[in-house]
Amino acid sequence: MDISKKFYEDKIAENVKTSNILLKQINIISWSRLIILILMLLIDYLLYKNGEYTSLIVSSIMFISGFIGVVIYHSNKLEAKKRSDIIININKRGLDRLSGEFKKFKDNGSEYLDENNPFINDLNVFGQNSIFQFINSTVTKGGRERLVNILGLKEEVNKKSIVNKQFAIKELADKVEWRQKFILEGSMRKSSDRAIRELIGWGKKGNSIKFISVIISYTFIFVNFVSILLSLMNILPLSFILLVFMIDFIVIKMLTKNMIEDINLFNDIKNDVKEYSEILSLIENETFESEHLKELKDKLINNQVSSKIEMKKISNLLDWIGDSSYNAVYFVLNVLVFSDVFIMRKLDLWKNKNGKYLEKWLDVMNEFDALSSISNLAFDYKNWSYPIILDNSYICGEDIAHPLLGEKAIKNNFSIKNSEKVALITGSNMSGKSTFLRTLGSNLVLSYIGAPVCAKEFSCGIMKIYTCITTRDNLEENISSFYAEILRIKILIEACKKEEKVFFLLDEIFKGTNSKDRHTGAIVLIKQLIKYGGIGLVSTHDLELCDLEKEDDRIINYNFREFYKDNKINFDYKLRQGKSETQNAIHLMKLAGIELS
């Protein structure tokens, strides 16, 4: 049994057992709460009926204290069960990834599909049955955005950064228990819809509370307590206290009128901040060996200011923030001691000390979140390999397979190196040409993000990926699939002319035109791509293109074949050198019932 599969199954079994035990305890505690409440009412009634008022008060205090204790204990057990259930779900998702059932994961990143991107759509980076859907386990909004940028190769890719990420991902893969704690803490609380950028923006703003507001607040608090004292001494009537509180309410509204937006923000994101606090503590408390992870962790401590300590402080402060419109207890507290003013004052002091670090801390958390997702691949697939990053524009691999196809994937060897520039892939319909193009492209993307690839061995240079595999009509812009293909080819040519290191994957180019134009256009394009330094693969049904190999040793031929058994067409999806010698279109027509004679 695979190590990863056994780990997931053991964790599920362990936590299912724990969850069941906790459920029984929770049910017992629930009944205990009801029994305590009934006993309190019964005993208090008997004491009241017998006129034992002192005993009644003592009894009530004891029962209420016991009830509160049981409620707290019950809450702790509910949280413990929730933690076990989350761990169960985390490990079930792990098994789903291994079995290819990741396609049912709801978050597939389809909003990031982009027809104008040179490779994202063709290589299934986002959308249904995509790399994003396969690996994503991020639990923070910023981490998800970071993973999207990484997969989209939005940042400059270089050999040093790739190698550093490889070591980081290897290390995180081995820290599977730690990664699951990371996911657990990020899944415990319901996040708000307010963007993380709003919290960062608050950290860069000026102070909300002026010192004069603090002086005014202290003055009114003093008046409040003096008024209450005088009322208890029967010097002032109760109506005067109510008047004082009404004035307090008006004053608080005046003092905090410029803080309403911040107060609403804090009400919305307090759960997020608590989540960030727990996650940053996990990072800061962990020991890392890889250079990239150590550099990230070092950013969490600035001038002896610790992110875990300071984020815990702001989390505790935000716990005091309450919406006085819905929370009666907080309303009374706010009127009595001007809590909004003093909490915002403390938040200002926190911001003055830590606001400049906040964005950096959250960036570190997001990077760990994204890298942890990528590490799922390294832990789940121990037989995958980390690619060797070359200084030249070569690709060479042994037993290369598509990372999303699981056990169904067929492994092939392939190389394009030295003077070779273009590999022509021929073969009949459904023989595997398009899948192989995507196989190389997907593994290149994984290579550039520091992940292991689905191959026994894989070496590649750093190149910009351009694809033209699936083109569609765009009715809104009145663009046919053929013209869409032409536009993509134009972008590719322009990139080559700019002397970018280009790797292209072209599937059945110029398929929207007649065979003569298609043949002529393909020859001109291939020669032009070679001229401007591009390298890549071109799949085609045009067997005459294979003659280019005789004219130019920079062009090499590969093919896929089919075979027939019991009057049925079969494919082995194995890549072979040389041009295709078989075609299946006529046979497929006959199988469809089309009479050709």
Side-chain angles (χ1 to χ4, degrees):
M1 182 184 292
D2 293 336
I3 296 173
S4 52
K5 184 178 181 182
K6 185 177 188 309
F7 175 86
Y8 292 138
E9 289 176 345
D10 288 349
K11 292 293 283 187
I12 290 171
E14 173 190 333
N15 282 276
V16 164
K17 183 178 180 181
T18 301
S19 182
N20 290 336
I21 292 171
L22 287 168
L23 180 61
K24 292 177 182 178
Q25 293 174 346
I26 287 166
N27 290 334
I28 293 170
I29 296 167
S30 296
W31 282 106
S32 300
R33 289 172 58 178
L34 181 61
I35 291 169
I36 290 171
L37 190 59
I38 293 171
L39 283 174
M40 182 182 74
L41 294 173
L42 180 62
I43 292 172
D44 283 359
Y45 172 74
L46 294 174
L47 292 172
Y48 175 78
K49 192 174 181 180
N50 293 329
E52 298 179 25
Y53 300 117
T54 303
S55 299
L56 171 64
I57 294 171
V58 173
S59 171
S60 296
I61 292 173
M62 290 177 62
F63 273 110
I64 291 171
S65 299
F67 185 79
I68 292 172
V70 172
V71 167
I72 294 172
Y73 186 63
H74 186 228
S75 178
N76 291 338
K77 290 294 181 181
L78 286 171
E79 180 169 323
K81 185 179 186 304
K82 183 179 180 181
R83 286 179 174 272
S84 285
D85 291 342
I86 290 172
I87 292 292
I88 291 169
N89 288 331
I90 290 170
N91 287 279
K92 282 183 176 179
R93 283 176 67 90
L95 290 178
D96 286 338
R97 283 195 303 271
L98 290 173
S99 64
E101 293 297 314
F102 66 90
K103 302 175 191 68
K104 67 184 180 184
F105 297 166
K106 291 182 180 179
D107 188 8
N108 60 28
S110 57
E111 68 269 34
Y112 297 105
L113 289 169
D114 182 4
E115 291 287 349
N116 297 318
N117 186 279
F119 68 89
I120 277 177
N121 287 18
D122 282 340
L123 300 185
N124 304 109
V125 178
F126 302 109
Q128 187 61 27
N129 193 23
S130 65
I131 297 172
F132 178 86
Q133 188 179 30
F134 184 35
I135 68 175
N136 176 41
S137 61
T138 55
V139 287
T140 65
K141 291 179 176 62
R144 184 177 184 271
E145 290 176 6
R146 182 78 188 102
L147 180 60
V148 167
N149 288 336
I150 290 173
L151 287 172
L153 305 180
K154 296 286 183 68
E155 299 174 356
E156 183 183 356
V157 176
N158 58 67
K159 185 174 182 178
K160 182 179 179 182
S161 68
I162 294 173
V163 172
N164 283 344
K165 282 185 179 178
Q166 286 180 348
F167 284 115
I169 288 165
K170 283 179 186 177
E171 183 173 4
L172 287 175
D174 292 336
K175 291 181 180 290
V176 60
E177 296 269 8
W178 181 87
R179 286 191 292 112
Q180 292 201 352
K181 287 179 185 176
F182 190 112
I183 298 172
L184 171 62
E185 294 301 338
S187 305
M188 278 297 293
R189 298 162 188 88
K190 184 179 179 181
S191 296
S192 72
D193 293 328
R194 304 287 287 266
I196 194 172
R197 295 184 185 89
E198 294 191 52
L199 177 61
I200 294 171
W202 168 82
K204 296 176 180 178
K205 283 167 52 176
N207 288 346
S208 303
I209 296 295
K210 297 179 180 178
F211 186 69
I212 187 64
S213 299
V214 177
I215 298 300
I216 294 171
S217 299
Y218 275 124
T219 302
F220 275 86
I221 292 171
F222 177 75
V223 171
N224 286 345
F225 282 97
V226 169
S227 299
I228 293 170
L229 181 62
L230 293 176
S231 177
L232 291 173
M233 297 170 62
N234 294 321
I235 297 174
L236 290 176
L238 182 61
S239 57
F240 183 82
I241 300 296
L242 296 176
L243 177 62
V244 169
F245 285 175
M246 289 175 64
I247 295 171
D248 287 343
F249 180 74
I250 295 170
V251 172
I252 289 169
K253 288 297 181 183
M254 292 176 63
L255 293 178
T256 61
K257 65 180 180 180
N258 295 324
M259 300 184 296
I260 298 301
E261 187 177 341
D262 286 344
I263 291 173
N264 290 338
L265 170 65
F266 292 138
N267 266 312
D268 284 347
I269 66 168
K270 61 170 66 177
N271 283 336
D272 298 75
V273 173
K274 189 176 288 292
E275 172 190 318
Y276 303 156
S277 171
E278 297 295 341
I279 290 174
L280 287 169
S281 292
L282 272 176
I283 297 171
E284 202 170 318
N285 290 336
E286 187 66 16
T287 301
F288 300 103
E289 299 298 328
S290 66
E291 181 181 339
H292 186 56
L293 298 183
K294 285 195 292 186
E295 286 177 355
L296 287 173
K297 180 182 171 180
D298 287 345
K299 293 179 181 179
L300 299 182
I301 302 176
N302 306 273
N303 299 323
Q304 304 305 311
V305 176
S306 164
S307 67
K308 71 173 182 179
I309 294 173
E310 296 302 325
M311 289 299 290
K312 187 69 174 177
K313 286 180 182 178
I314 191 174
S315 178
N316 291 338
L317 281 173
L318 295 186
D319 281 341
W320 285 94
I321 292 281
D323 188 340
S324 57
S325 302
Y326 301 98
N327 190 326
V329 174
Y330 187 80
F331 175 82
V332 172
L333 188 66
N334 200 14
V335 169
L336 191 63
V337 296
F338 284 56
S339 55
D340 273 353
V341 174
F342 288 101
I343 291 171
M344 293 303 292
R345 175 64 176 171
K346 284 184 174 295
L347 286 169
D348 277 345
L349 295 174
W350 187 94
K351 177 169 56 178
N352 293 338
K353 180 182 179 183
N354 303 300
K356 57 183 175 290
Y357 304 128
L358 186 56
E359 185 171 11
K360 186 189 296 183
W361 293 344
L362 297 180
D363 282 345
V364 169
M365 177 189 71
N366 297 338
E367 181 76 4
F368 266 98
D369 199 7
L371 292 178
S372 293
S373 279
I374 299 170
S375 298
N376 287 328
L377 289 178
F379 178 73
D380 291 348
Y381 299 97
K382 300 290 186 183
N383 57 327
W384 289 18
S385 64
Y386 286 89
I388 298 170
I389 307 302
L390 306 172
D391 295 320
N392 44 39
S393 299
Y394 293 174
I395 287 184
C396 185
E398 181 181 348
D399 289 347
I400 312 166
H402 199 296
L404 300 179
L405 293 181
E407 294 180 357
K408 297 183 296 182
I410 303 299
K411 299 174 181 178
N412 281 295
N413 299 335
F414 177 80
S415 69
I416 184 166
K417 58 186 179 179
N418 299 325
S419 62
E420 298 164 348
K421 296 298 179 184
V422 175
L424 291 175
I425 313 292
T426 51
S428 56
N429 296 299
M430 302 185 299
S431 61
K433 300 187 301 297
S434 300
T435 299
F436 184 69
L437 296 187
R438 290 189 172 95
T439 295
L440 282 183
S442 298
N443 281 302
L444 267 184
V445 171
L446 293 179
S447 297
Y448 295 158
I449 68 174
V453 297
C454 188
K456 183 178 179 181
E457 292 180 3
F458 196 75
S459 304
C460 63
I462 297 174
M463 299 166 283
K464 297 285 185 67
I465 304 171
Y466 288 83
T467 65
C468 187
I469 298 175
T470 305
T471 52
R472 301 177 180 86
D473 294 343
N474 189 327
L475 298 179
E476 289 184 5
E477 297 187 19
N478 197 27
I479 293 176
S480 69
S481 60
F482 176 68
Y483 188 59
E485 181 181 23
I486 295 296
L487 292 178
R488 292 184 74 84
I489 296 295
K490 180 183 177 183
I491 293 170
L492 167 60
I493 292 291
E494 288 174 350
C496 289
K497 286 181 177 180
K498 291 176 185 176
E499 297 185 349
E500 291 182 12
K501 289 186 176 181
V502 166
F503 180 79
F504 55 84
L505 296 165
L506 308 179
D507 187 31
E508 299 293 341
I509 51 175
F510 305 135
K511 48 186 170 286
T513 187
N514 63 72
S515 58
K516 183 178 180 180
D517 286 348
R518 180 169 63 247
H519 178 74
T520 302
I523 292 174
V524 172
L525 173 61
I526 290 168
K527 289 182 176 180
Q528 198 166 30
L529 289 172
I530 293 174
K531 175 183 176 182
Y532 290 114
I535 76 162
L537 287 77
V538 177
S539 75
T540 181
H541 283 297
D542 186 355
L543 298 182
E544 292 180 11
L545 282 180
C546 296
D547 294 338
L548 290 172
E549 183 185 50
K550 300 173 184 176
E551 303 172 14
D552 192 334
D553 60 7
R554 293 173 295 182
I555 299 172
I556 53 174
N557 288 322
Y558 284 92
N559 74 87
F560 288 97
R561 298 177 186 174
E562 80 280 358
F563 62 94
Y564 299 91
K565 186 177 181 180
D566 299 329
N567 204 33
K568 291 182 180 179
I569 190 168
N570 293 275
F571 304 97
D572 61 11
Y573 305 110
K574 298 300 291 185
L575 185 69
R576 298 171 175 85
Q577 281 198 303
K579 74 174 184 177
S580 174
E581 301 295 341
T582 61
Q583 293 180 330
N584 67 5
I586 292 176
H587 190 80
L588 288 174
M589 292 177 193
K590 290 180 179 178
L591 289 177
I594 300 173
E595 297 181 5
L596 301 176
S597 59

